[in-house]
Amino acid sequence: MTVTKWPPIFAILVIQAIVFAGLSLVLPSANAIVGFAIPVFWQMCGQGVASAVITKTFKFGWGWVIGQLVAPPMVILALASGLPMWIYPTILILLVLVFWNVATNRVPLYLTNTDTSAALLKLIPKKKTVKFVDLGSGLGGTLRYLASQSAENQFYGVESAPLPFALSWCLGKFSGNHNLKFRYRDIWKEDLSEFDIVYCFLSPVPMARLFAKAQAELKPGSLFISNSFEVPDHTPNKIVTVKDGRKTELLIWKI
Ligand SMILES: C[S@@+](CC[C@H](N)C(=O)[O-])C[C@H]1O[C@@H](n2cnc3c(N)ncnc32)[C@H](O)[C@@H]1O
């Protein structure tokens, strides 16, 4: 079955819907067996457990599985809490604006740490001026750090999640770094030919396609650097292991 190829947000909603339909069918028999009407909260706990098990069966990551487990009972708790109804759509809209690319590209938002940014700085050649791009630049922290430490080079962020882009753009302006620009754009629409160094911290999902794009568009001698995620069937030319808590690996290919 191709569930794992669907956009995950769609797949998890379909799983919840199928489980809901299945449990609705067996609920009358379950009530008869236990001898009382099973409270809605416990029904939703069952909904969460069944959805989580099916989601794990389809090899989704633990984040999705835990989300599937806790979401149904949380909805009941939230409704019972008496909070004003506008809060729920507001939270949902904010989450969508931040985690825009989880649903479509399977890339969540997590951030490059300072030790890794410092390791990236060391990889920038000193002899010539370079253009460095962070594909999926998130809140832009890595680029603000690099731009402040390396005034002679140009730094670009490409981001399509609305809220992280807006924040990175504002923080970039406040930082006063004139060698720093953010583009509100899908990384697949960005022409990479102008860049000397491409950095990305995405997920395993887009790596093969992104590396093919980099190979097609980057100038010979440019660097393609992936934080943590390998490119299937392509061994990196160099791996830098950062001395941080998670021993981050920067995988580096020379094009
Ligand atoms: C794991 S975060 C990394 C953020 C930042 N590069 C850092 O290292 O701190 C990945 C980012 O890529 C963005 N992203 C994923 N797919 C994208 C796409 N197709 N176009 C633009 N941005 C994308 C996500 O919205 C997210 O902000």
Side-chain angles (χ1 to χ4, degrees), residues 103-151:
T104 50
N105 294 307
R106 292 178 173 232
V107 179
L109 174 67
Y110 32 73
L111 306 175
T112 299
N113 60 37
T114 320
D115 291 334
T116 308
S117 299
L120 281 171
L121 182 64
K122 289 190 190 145
L123 294 172
I124 299 177
K126 301 279 178 294
K127 287 189 190 129
K128 60 169 195 163
T129 303
V130 301
K131 281 189 171 185
F132 180 113
V133 65
D134 181 357
L135 294 178
S137 44
L139 304 182
T142 308
L143 291 172
R144 281 194 301 283
Y145 170 81
L146 293 174
S148 68
Q149 300 294 315
S150 186

Side-chain angles (χ1 to χ4, degrees), residues 2-17 51 54-56 58-65 67-68 99-108 203-206:
T2 54
V3 171
T4 46
K5 298 231 165 45
W6 297 353
I9 195 77
F10 181 63
I12 63 160
L13 288 175
V14 169
I15 291 171
Q16 289 281 358
S51 301
I54 294 174
T55 305
K56 190 63 199 153
F58 282 115
K59 298 193 169 28
F60 278 80
W62 280 107
W64 290 108
V65 176
Q68 292 282 68
F99 296 102
W100 193 260
N101 287 300
V102 175
T104 50
N105 294 307
R106 292 178 173 232
V107 179
S203 86
V205 178

Side-chain angles (χ1 to χ4, degrees), residues 204-225:
V205 178
M207 292 314 294
R209 184 179 166 201
L210 190 59
F211 190 68
K213 179 175 165 62
Q215 281 185 313
E217 296 176 10
L218 285 174
K219 297 182 285 280
S222 307
L223 296 183
F224 180 84
I225 307 175

Side-chain angles (χ1 to χ4, degrees), residues 186-197:
D186 191 319
I187 58 176
W188 306 111
K189 298 204 171 122
E190 182 71 24
D191 179 359
L192 302 179
S193 60
E194 66 174 297
F195 301 112
D196 304 287
I197 303 181

